[in-house]
Amino acid sequence: MSGFAERLRPLFPALDQQVHGQELVYFDNAATTQRPDSVIAAISHFYAHDNANVHRAVHTLSARSTEAYEGARDRIARYLNAASRQEIVFTRGTTEGINLVAQSWLRPRLKAGDEILISGLEHHSNIVPWQLAINGSGARIRVIPVLDDGSLDMVAYRELLSERTRLVAVGYASNAIGTRNPVDSIIAQAHAAGARVLIDGAQAMAHHRVDMQAMGADFFAFSAHKMYGPTGFGVLYAPAARLDEAQPWQGGGDMIETVSFEGSTWNELPYKFEAGTPNIAGAIGTGAAIDFLAGLDFDQLSAHEQSLLTLATEQLQAIPGLRMIGTAPDKAAIVSFVMQGAHPQDIGTLLDENGIAVRTGHHCAMPLMERFGVPGTVRASFAAYNTVAEIERMGQCLHRIAKLFA
């Protein structure tokens, strides 16, 4: 077991269990990571000691709840190197953040002939919101092609950019096949063409230290549950200038300054986008996850995850009848594959019987699966706590499974 993972594993109680009589190997991290005990403790402490609604109330529990909730926003802003806490909008996750941008910022400014560029690698959450936003506007979506190795065709991207491009929306990395996109170049070229950029950062936060001011994206959305935090919580980062351009997308409590039957005025940033009672425990748990990430050595993390990816790739390529989907030179720690004669779901079931958790299906990336001519894949995705021994165990199981379908 690598020293890096060995130090972290005791912090994750869910990893200390057996599945079908065997020690759990958890390789479904691109869907959701496990949580360290510090995140679990933070959420539990809130419900046990400070449970009250935030803002406005004068009693002690509400004050403590508000302090913890807004303190999480401050920690997230510092971690992302945002210029201001006003640039941190709390959401239910990446999906809601993208939909917020689509409906509040993009839709009101669309006109006939406008274009939105997305890539052929995208998760459905970075496809469908733009389809909804352009409905009836006369705008259209254009797609950056994917090369045979799973990387983006950057020559085609440059050719697609024009004065008609209103927004470029791409993922930091593909959740389905692991391709890491050259986001710095994508952003710079889009800005040179006068377009704004949204980055789907769902697959970034657990693996990279991101700096919003250095990156320069106009919008960056991510989910807590993919970065060791709770489910049902996320963040949309955007510079204050972009958020000032957007209209509220939900009405209700806390997003208002004044209300009358004749009309209403909106709260200051970021609250004009945060209607209703928030997910207080989610914010607190995400703050704890940020603290966990801040304590990691990301150089060591990157080296560790890339060593797992290299080993997994070597082992998979040695299995007869197995075809890897996505072999881009720059990849996140994800392997995606199909096996001759075997349905991905059958492979996933057999791996589960050996205590190995993977994801099977189209991974909410149906256009990408169509691009590679497969209905779905088996996906194994790695995190900081995964080990070389676990990779080897999966390889041994897949060799046995391949013989069953030979």
Side-chain angles (χ1 to χ4, degrees), residues 149 151 180 306 327-331:
D149 67 355
S151 57
R180 272 197 295 244
Q306 287 301 301
T327 56
D330 188 9
K331 282 186 58 174

Side-chain angles (χ1 to χ4, degrees), residues 274-350:
E274 296 178 1
T277 296
N279 182 355
I280 304 164
I284 292 168
T286 302
I290 287 290
D291 291 342
F292 171 78
L293 289 172
L296 294 179
D297 183 322
F298 273 81
D299 289 336
Q300 289 187 21
L301 172 63
S302 178
H304 171 66
E305 291 186 342
Q306 287 301 301
S307 69
L308 297 180
L309 175 63
T310 299
L311 177 61
T313 301
E314 292 171 352
Q315 298 222 344
L316 292 179
Q317 289 174 336
I319 296 172
L322 187 146
R323 173 192 171 198
M324 291 194 63
I325 306 296
T327 56
D330 188 9
K331 282 186 58 174
I334 293 172
V335 289
S336 199
F337 61 90
V338 293
M339 188 181 290
Q340 186 175 353
H343 193 282
Q345 186 170 332
D346 293 332
I347 299 170
T349 300
L350 290 169

Side-chain angles (χ1 to χ4, degrees), residues 90-390:
F90 287 163
T91 67
R92 291 182 299 156
T94 307
T95 298
E96 183 170 85
I98 295 172
N99 275 275
L100 191 162
V101 175
Q103 296 300 323
S104 296
W105 182 86
L106 179 66
R107 188 168 190 168
R109 54 186 20 87
L110 279 177
K111 61 183 184 299
D114 283 350
E115 295 179 349
I116 296 91
L117 297 190
I118 62 175
S119 87
L121 293 167
E122 299 311 310
H123 188 283
H124 297 166
S125 293
N126 204 21
I127 301 173
V128 179
W130 313 118
Q131 294 173 337
L132 294 172
I134 68 171
N135 188 30
S137 69
R140 66 170 176 164
I141 293 169
R142 305 195 71 186
V143 181
I144 308 163
V146 177
L147 300 174
D148 288 343
D149 67 355
S151 57
L152 281 188
D153 185 339
M154 292 297 289
V155 173
Y157 171 61
R158 287 190 290 273
E159 293 173 349
L160 286 167
L161 278 171
S162 73
E163 70 280 357
R164 296 184 300 275
T165 307
R166 188 67 51 230
L167 179 75
V168 177
V170 297
Y172 195 100
S174 167
N175 73 298
I177 63 173
T179 303
R180 272 197 295 244
N181 290 320
V183 293
D184 291 342
S185 177
I186 288 170
I187 293 168
Q189 291 185 60
H191 285 172
R196 301 300 182 190
V197 182
L198 178 141
I199 300 296
D200 173 350
Q203 299 298 329
M205 294 293 292
H207 310 285
H208 306 278
R209 187 66 191 264
V210 295
D211 182 324
M212 292 299 101
Q213 294 191 68
M215 183 183 294
D218 298 282
F219 306 97
F220 185 94
F222 63 90
S223 299
H225 71 101
K226 298 180 188 292
M227 44 163 271
Y228 309 108
T231 55
F233 194 86
V235 170
L236 172 67
Y237 158 83
R242 298 288 81 75
L243 294 176
D244 281 333
E245 293 171 350
Q247 295 300 309
W249 86 307
Q250 293 180 331
D254 219 38
M255 52 76 64
I256 54 87
E257 180 181 30
T258 64
V259 173
S260 72
F261 289 119
E262 288 70 38
S264 302
T265 59
W266 314 134
N267 204 343
E268 63 184 10
L269 295 177
Y271 305 109
K272 77 173 186 177
F273 299 107
E274 296 178 1
T277 296
N279 182 355
I280 304 164
I284 292 168
T286 302
I290 287 290
D291 291 342
F292 171 78
L293 289 172
L296 294 179
D297 183 322
F298 273 81
D299 289 336
Q300 289 187 21
L301 172 63
S302 178
H304 171 66
E305 291 186 342
Q306 287 301 301
S307 69
L308 297 180
L309 175 63
T310 299
L311 177 61
T313 301
E314 292 171 352
Q315 298 222 344
L316 292 179
Q317 289 174 336
I319 296 172
L322 187 146
R323 173 192 171 198
M324 291 194 63
I325 306 296
T327 56
D330 188 9
K331 282 186 58 174
I334 293 172
V335 289
S336 199
F337 61 90
V338 293
M339 188 181 290
Q340 186 175 353
H343 193 282
Q345 186 170 332
D346 293 332
I347 299 170
T349 300
L350 290 169
L351 286 172
D352 180 65
E353 290 176 358
N354 287 274
I356 301 172
V358 296
R359 177 93 17 186
T360 63
H362 54 64
H363 315 298
C364 291
M366 292 177 73
L368 181 60
M369 297 296 107
E370 183 178 355
R371 161 66 176 83
F372 285 100
V374 296
T377 68
V378 180
R379 182 188 71 191
S381 49
F382 314 128
Y385 42 63
N386 290 127
T387 68
V388 166
E390 290 178 323

